[in-house]
Amino acid sequence: MEPGRSPPGNGKEKQNESEGEGEGGFDICPRKQGGGVVLKPSLLAKNREVRRGSKSGGSKTVVLLGPGMVLLKGYLQLSDQQKIVEKCRELGVGSGGFYHPGYGQSKMHLKMMCLGKNWDPETGQYGDHRPFDGAKPPQIPPEFHHLVSNALAALPPDTPNPFPLPSIAPDICIVNFYSQTGRLGLHQDKDESEDSLRQGFPVVSFSIGDSADFLYSDHRDLDQPHKLLLNSGDVLIFGGPSRLIFHGVSVVHPNTAPALLLQNTNLRPGRLNLTFRHY
Ligand SMILES: O=C(O)CCC(=O)C(=O)O
Ligand SMILES: [Fe+2]
């Protein structure tokens, strides 16, 4: 199924997904054009989000989904989500930024940018440059490293046991932007080094913007995967015995992103996802 990150398309998404492609990388936060009407979130919604976002350290809700698979519900504070969006926007419009990936004749239903190392959907291999334009992927920003190590340190010591997860210093981050019709077929993240996979170094995944249905399954039940709603600010970690789960994104739920995040960043309708990995 790998690089099968793209299920067969119906052509509809392609129109939507070629939007915003210009000379530079795809802009996830296009600047407001004069004349447009910008709807402001209600005061109530704003206050609710400010209260949520100002909690120090984000949410403490930890959901154990399986051996080595943990969800930190609402972990990322709104201010951190905003910084992540702004940084991804800045890197995304530059060299090595967001592009519309594909393999063979098929396009994936998302925009992608790699940080640290390039992942090539054609070959499923990592490299130092993108084969199609020679660009070197931007470095993973130091603030992203901090967020990942803090998230891993937030796991209560007894939660992932008896499968404790090793901490990682990620050298790869794949950033996906899904439009509201974006999706990603069931696949395994298995192109990292044999050593990394054997040691069960976790994948750490940040969700920002619109909510989405995340499907996952072990090898035994690909026809009936589990479904998990990922909201803006959620951090999903899968490592140890769950490192090679099949997973994908079946649907993005339109207009579910925090209003304040949209207002402060002008993030396009859709969902941003960052997966940190150790090669
Ligand atoms: O968007 C997501 O939640 C998952 C992304 C993913 O599986 C990947 O980039 O390999
Ligand atoms: Fe994946």
Side-chain angles (χ1 to χ4, degrees), residues 70-201:
V70 185
L71 174 64
L72 301 178
K73 196 73 203 154
Y75 176 80
L76 296 168
Q77 296 181 38
L78 200 68
S79 56
D80 286 330
Q81 296 176 44
Q82 192 174 317
K83 285 183 200 143
I84 293 168
V85 169
E86 283 161 358
K87 197 70 197 175
C88 287
R89 191 258 168 190
E90 178 197 320
L91 298 174
V93 294
S95 172
F98 283 109
Y99 75 106
H100 195 175
Y103 52 90
Q105 300 301 315
S106 309
K107 284 283 188 197
M108 294 172 72
H109 299 280
L110 48 77
K111 296 291 187 338
M112 185 171 83
M113 162 172 70
C114 297
L115 307 178
K117 290 184 191 298
N118 182 62
W119 179 76
D120 179 2
E122 292 280 355
T123 61
Q125 290 189 345
Y126 284 104
D128 291 331
H129 295 89
R130 304 202 298 205
F132 67 93
D133 65 357
K136 202 170 152 46
Q139 293 292 311
I140 301 176
E143 55 271 35
F144 288 9
H145 279 289
H146 290 139
L147 288 166
V148 171
S149 50
N150 288 346
L152 287 167
L155 295 177
D158 55 336
T159 304
N161 284 338
F163 306 103
L165 290 174
S167 196
I168 53 161
D171 50 6
I172 303 161
C173 174
I174 298 187
V175 187
N176 293 330
F177 181 79
Y178 302 81
S179 74
Q180 292 184 329
T181 54
R183 54 199 159 88
L184 177 61
L186 279 182
H187 65 279
Q188 292 170 296
D189 292 351
K190 63 178 168 77
D191 295 329
E192 294 71 37
S193 70
E194 269 178 37
D195 187 50
S196 175
L197 299 177
R198 195 179 48 246
Q199 299 213 50
F201 285 152

Side-chain angles (χ1 to χ4, degrees), residues 5 174 176 178 184 187 189 205 214 230 247 249 271 273 275 277:
R5 291 157 127 237
I174 298 187
N176 293 330
Y178 302 81
L184 177 61
H187 65 279
D189 292 351
S205 163
F214 179 87
L230 291 179
H247 60 281
V249 172
R271 170 173 182 266
N273 174 261
T275 50
R277 308 135 190 249

